[in-house]
Amino acid sequence: MRTKWCRAFPGLVEQVVLARHFVAALVAEKGPVADATLVVSELATNAVRHSLSGAEGGWFLVVVGFGDGFVRIEVVDQGGERVPHLCDVTSQEEGGRGLLLIAACAKDWGVKNWPDGRSVWAELAWEGA
């Protein structure tokens, strides 16, 4: 990875829009702004809703890195009992399709587990190589 930026946000739903602005500003001249903001919005929302990051005093970290032909967006959360996974697209439940959207627009994506949390990342193709 040639260049990397990161920023921590309080684990509050209203911070997701600030995470989108952070990513959009970094990607604006280099690549897929719409896909990048979709990815960070879904990942940050999941961090706040489904991990300890959404508890009082919680936080999440957004990391944006640029490599040869891709931008990588990663959200680090404080972990929790639920493991990020793809949901059944035919499910009638409201929500639960964010990772499917990410998988559809990303070159690759994945989950890394850490002792005190996890990170979910996605790589998007870009022309700024």
Side-chain angles (χ1 to χ4, degrees), residues 38-105:
L38 169 73
V39 166
V40 75
S41 183
E42 292 296 335
L43 296 182
T45 298
N46 285 350
V48 172
R49 288 189 179 161
H50 303 299
S51 81
L52 295 174
S53 294
E56 186 174 335
W59 54 268
F60 63 93
L61 180 71
V62 176
V63 181
V64 180
F66 294 95
D68 290 329
F70 70 93
V71 57
R72 181 181 178 121
I73 299 162
E74 185 169 6
V75 173
V76 179
D77 66 41
Q78 294 180 278
E81 300 210 4
R82 298 182 70 182
V83 177
H85 64 280
L86 293 174
C87 291
D88 180 6
V89 72
T90 61
S91 170
Q92 297 298 312
E93 288 191 38
E94 186 177 317
R97 292 174 184 82
L99 289 178
L100 287 170
L101 289 171
I102 290 169
C105 69

Side-chain angles (χ1 to χ4, degrees), residues 19-21 23-43 71 73 98 101-102 104-106 122 124-126:
R20 280 196 305 263
H21 291 307
V23 170
L26 292 172
V27 176
E29 295 180 15
K30 297 182 172 94
V33 175
D35 288 348
T37 55
L38 169 73
V39 166
V40 75
S41 183
E42 292 296 335
L43 296 182
V71 57
I73 299 162
L101 289 171
I102 290 169
C105 69
L124 305 169
W126 69 294

